[in-house]
Amino acid sequence: YSNIYDDDIYTNAGLESDYGTGSRESNLECNFDKGVTIEFWLKKAAFADSKTHKEVIFDIWNGEDSGVHNYGRLTLALSGGAAGANAPFILTIVSGSTYFKEKVLGSSQVTKGTVSDGSWKHYALTMQNSGSKFLTKLYITGALDSTTSNAGNFGTLPSKTSTSGAMGGRIGALKTSAYGFGLTSAGAGKLSASLDEFRFWKVARNSDEIGKNWFT
């Protein structure tokens, strides 16, 4: 009896209206009006470019076939190729016909060398619609590293009108055939690194929340 659809769990439980936001919808839902946050600790010793140019950190997919109007995908990965030489984090988001592929994240201070220096670092990525733009923010050890602004907005993943498969995810490799990666099978793009404290939030955490809690 724990799998309950409730789009406002706190208010419906009798708590104050400003207590917080939350739902018992998909635990991997990406409503970009509310925002999405991915947090994790990463320790990487090197990039094995001879084996793979792209290593997947997290991949979620709503079960639709590519090209269908309500196809939904979010893939965060590391790139060891030339495109990721200065900023190795790349992000792909697809919501129906709206998408961007392998968007490079991070400032000029985030390089293959800093990411693969063999030490543990905490990373947080927030994604959210803001007016007519889509903002991504990358935080490193609690501090804002960079903000990227893209024209347009993304719809919710998965679409609430979808009648097909549920959202599913995989840490450390592709969930299904890649969208724009040049890889063709589930499980490809394996991550060669250590991950810890992986967290997925159905809201865009703000700088204060990330700054105060990244080490907690």
Side-chain angles (χ1 to χ4, degrees):
Y1 298 100
S2 64
N3 191 13
I4 302 169
Y5 183 93
D6 188 341
D7 60 9
D8 195 353
I9 58 176
Y10 299 130
T11 301
N12 292 341
L15 296 167
E16 296 84 355
S17 60
D18 61 351
Y19 179 84
T21 59
S23 69
R24 286 186 177 179
E25 300 169 353
S26 168
N27 64 348
L28 290 176
E29 181 188 62
C30 299
N31 180 337
F32 292 110
D33 288 334
K34 295 179 181 178
V36 172
T37 303
I38 298 173
E39 292 188 76
F40 53 91
W41 286 85
L42 175 74
K43 183 173 73 170
K44 185 170 179 58
F47 280 88
D49 294 342
S50 62
K51 296 180 179 179
T52 180
H53 288 302
K54 295 160 189 173
E55 302 178 32
V56 176
I57 296 171
F58 185 50
D59 184 30
I60 56 179
W61 173 54
N62 69 349
E64 296 283 8
D65 291 332
S66 180
V68 176
H69 72 281
N70 52 354
Y71 178 87
R73 192 75 177 271
L74 187 155
T75 307
L76 177 63
L78 293 170
S79 173
N86 294 319
F89 288 99
I90 54 174
L91 177 67
T92 296
I93 300 177
V94 189
S95 177
S97 60
T98 304
Y99 68 92
F100 60 61
K101 295 189 295 185
E102 300 183 9
K103 187 73 175 181
V104 175
L105 307 173
S107 71
S108 60
Q109 304 302 311
V110 184
T111 66
K112 289 174 64 176
T114 63
V115 171
S116 62
D117 64 2
S119 64
W120 282 105
K121 293 185 181 70
H122 181 272
Y123 298 94
L125 173 65
T126 67
M127 298 154 276
Q128 188 173 27
N129 294 324
S130 178
S132 61
K133 298 183 181 300
F134 182 74
L135 300 181
T136 58
K137 297 183 179 182
L138 179 66
Y139 297 80
I140 303 176
T141 58
L144 178 63
D145 169 76
S146 57
T147 301
T148 304
S149 177
N150 304 278
N153 292 158
F154 279 99
T156 298
L157 310 181
S159 170
K160 293 181 182 296
T161 61
S162 175
T163 58
S164 62
M167 190 70 103
R170 176 170 288 163
I171 296 173
L174 287 171
K175 173 66 176 171
T176 188
S177 298
Y179 190 97
F181 268 71
L183 303 173
T184 58
S185 63
K190 291 180 175 60
L191 178 67
S192 178
S194 296
L195 282 175
D196 201 3
E197 292 292 335
F198 186 94
R199 297 176 183 180
F200 179 89
W201 304 82
K202 298 194 292 183
V203 66
R205 305 266 284 171
N206 61 41
S207 296
D208 192 49
E209 292 169 326
I210 292 172
K212 288 182 176 179
N213 297 290
W214 67 274
F215 197 71
T216 303

